Amino acid sequence: MRMVDLIEKKRDGKELTTEEINFIVEGYTNGDVPDYQMSAFNMAVFFQDMTERERADLTMAMVNSGETIDLSAIEGVKVDKHSTGGVGDTTTLVLAPLVAALDIPVAKMSGRGLGHTGGTIDKLEAVEGFHVEITKDEFIKLVNESKIAVIGQSGNLTPADKKLYALRDVTATVNSIPLIASSIMSKKIAAGADAIVLDVKTGAGAFMKTPEDAKELAHAMVSIGNNVGRKTMAVISDMSQPLGLAIGNSLEIQEAIDTLKGQGPKDLEELCFALGSQMVFLANKASSLEEAEQKLREVIANGKALEKFKLFLANQGGDASVVDHPERLPQAKFHIEVPAKQDGVVAELVADEIGTAAMLLGAGRATKESEIDLAVGLMLNKKVGDSVKAGESLVTIHSNRENVDDVMAMLYENIRIADHADAPTLVYGTVTE
Ligand code: URA
Ligand code: CA
């Protein structure tokens, strides 16, 4: 087989065989296929697309390029949740203990964040002592005993995807549905989940700017998952404005605690129920979505979800007393209000730009090497659809530097106040095939 013939075949819109796709992915991973040929191939896929079968094959070829995690020693259906990424997305921190409180095993492999705020691991490290450097055996033991554990990303998971993603990044081929879908699904499948609930975001803060594009990506991922034997479904949700009120690591831990107590922001709570009930249903712990949601509400009301969060933190070396004493989380030195300049209704909170403002404070990483400041971030005091009076605070900036003129300017530029505005739709629908 020659790579040049396969590039030509895809360029001309023909379907590649499983063998041909394996040849490409294996060759690229071990260096036989050079970057320039792979770039040309990616561009051909960008324009010619891939069939469902090709997408599933590409995904499995990337899964097989490296290590895979075997979770078969964990009893029960392992359901994983994945978000395509957004600003202030606190759902994982809430969902993991919430679902585990219903005896559904949560065996999560997570990473650090780049951009807006930290990843789930960065956020959890806002809790003194918490760590994810545990062995695979400890990880499996913790999940069997406590139903919940988080481990850091293994170094050699889907090396083909790592190499390909870096190449796509510099060759204008990130934004291709077959390439995004196979990239995301390969990582989830390699991490060992039996069932996968996807939260596909749409809006300014997301990859997919419109609900239609998000739905197309969701279909692509759901079809890959189901074609390779993992029960998969997707929820399409809004990311035109940040989710919840908190953006920042310590602040989001606090927000997760509030939500587990039943006192969280309404949108975050609603999305957690939408995703959580799908997880409970896929884990065969409820016979309908309504029953699943009822069960989730019960473990919030009776305190079991919060207890699970404490146990989880303590199991991995964390100071679980922060749950009752959130003031023990890292706190920023300065709290600076951003007053509204006029009366009206908040019409827009541009998610990605507000995320960048939080990053400027140090809540996220501008480059992989940047250090995160766990204490800093933004607390939104108003969301889209809320009315506001001139002088009332729109946002509270939690900062460790006194001068935040740059952040303030960015916030004013990206918060629009109008005469009328409605809160956006939060959940656009679900995709199950
Ligand atoms: N996230 C991924 O992991 N891969 C993509 O291709 C895009 C987003
Ligand atoms: Ca949030």
Side-chain angles (χ1 to χ4, degrees), residues 82 84 161 165 168 174 176 179-181 183-184 187 207:
H82 178 81
T84 58
D161 172 65
Y165 198 9
R168 286 165 55 209
V174 167
S176 152
L179 297 181
I180 298 175
S183 165
I184 293 175
K187 284 172 276 204
F207 257 110

Side-chain angles (χ1 to χ4, degrees), residues 76-312:
V77 182
K78 279 75 69 183
V79 186
D80 202 358
K81 192 247 3 171
H82 178 81
S83 153
T84 58
V87 181
D89 184 357
T90 316
T91 53
T92 298
L93 293 173
V94 177
L95 282 169
L98 181 56
V99 167
L102 290 171
D103 282 337
I104 295 166
V106 176
K108 193 134 192 83
M109 176 171 279
S110 229
R112 294 180 190 281
L114 186 61
H116 319 307
T117 53
T120 298
I121 290 181
D122 298 303
K123 292 173 194 177
L124 285 164
E125 282 176 351
V127 178
E128 175 85 46
F130 185 91
H131 66 94
V132 294
E133 289 78 24
I134 54 179
T135 65
K136 249 186 238 174
D137 287 346
E138 284 172 302
F139 176 61
I140 287 179
K141 185 160 173 277
L142 281 177
V143 180
N144 273 331
E145 285 172 3
S146 303
K147 299 296 168 196
I148 180 169
V150 174
I151 190 169
Q153 217 127 45
S154 146
N156 197 33
L157 220 62
T158 61
D161 172 65
K162 265 194 204 94
K163 209 172 161 189
L164 251 175
Y165 198 9
L167 183 69
R168 286 165 55 209
D169 209 21
V170 293
T171 55
T173 48
V174 167
N175 231 331
S176 152
I177 288 202
L179 297 181
I180 298 175
S182 56
S183 165
I184 293 175
M185 291 305 289
S186 69
K187 284 172 276 204
K188 291 287 114 181
I189 291 162
D194 300 314
I196 301 160
V197 171
L198 299 163
D199 180 11
V200 181
K201 307 284 195 188
T202 176
F207 257 110
M208 297 290 142
K209 305 297 176 197
T210 67
E212 292 69 35
D213 286 348
K215 209 162 265 183
E216 198 184 335
L217 177 62
H219 270 294
M221 291 192 285
V222 168
S223 134
I224 289 172
N226 289 325
N227 281 334
V228 304
R230 315 288 170 116
K231 284 193 279 181
T232 306
M233 68 80 57
V235 171
I236 315 280
S237 75
D238 178 60
M239 191 35 79
S240 60
Q241 64 174 338
L243 186 64
L245 302 174
I247 306 157
N249 300 282
S250 229
L251 298 173
E252 287 185 56
I253 293 281
Q254 162 93 62
E255 183 170 67
I257 294 166
D258 292 344
T259 308
L260 288 166
K261 286 179 177 164
Q263 297 158 3
K266 284 296 147 228
D267 60 341
L268 175 60
E269 182 179 273
E270 185 187 336
L271 187 58
C272 285
F273 284 135
L275 295 165
S277 52
Q278 297 284 353
M279 293 170 80
V280 173
F281 183 70
L282 285 184
N284 301 321
K285 294 280 187 180
S287 53
S288 69
L289 291 173
E290 293 70 30
E291 187 194 346
E293 181 168 337
Q294 195 50 47
K295 288 189 164 179
L296 292 170
R297 289 185 183 275
E298 262 166 44
V299 288
I300 286 184
N302 65 21
K304 281 190 180 164
L306 198 62
E307 280 310 308
K308 190 61 86 174
F309 191 53
K310 286 186 193 171
L311 176 68
F312 164 52

Side-chain angles (χ1 to χ4, degrees), residues 282-355:
L282 285 184
N284 301 321
K285 294 280 187 180
S287 53
S288 69
L289 291 173
E290 293 70 30
E291 187 194 346
E293 181 168 337
Q294 195 50 47
K295 288 189 164 179
L296 292 170
R297 289 185 183 275
E298 262 166 44
V299 288
I300 286 184
N302 65 21
K304 281 190 180 164
L306 198 62
E307 280 310 308
K308 190 61 86 174
F309 191 53
K310 286 186 193 171
L311 176 68
F312 164 52
L313 295 177
N315 276 349
Q316 298 195 225
D319 173 13
S321 80
V322 299
V323 172
D324 298 312
H325 298 279
E327 73 281 0
R328 292 180 186 167
L329 289 164
Q331 304 289 322
K333 273 196 222 114
F334 305 102
H335 292 188
I336 302 152
E337 306 300 336
V338 181
K341 291 176 176 170
Q342 65 190 90
D343 291 358
V345 177
V346 176
E348 211 175 3
L349 285 160
V350 184
D352 51 342
E353 298 291 337
I354 288 174

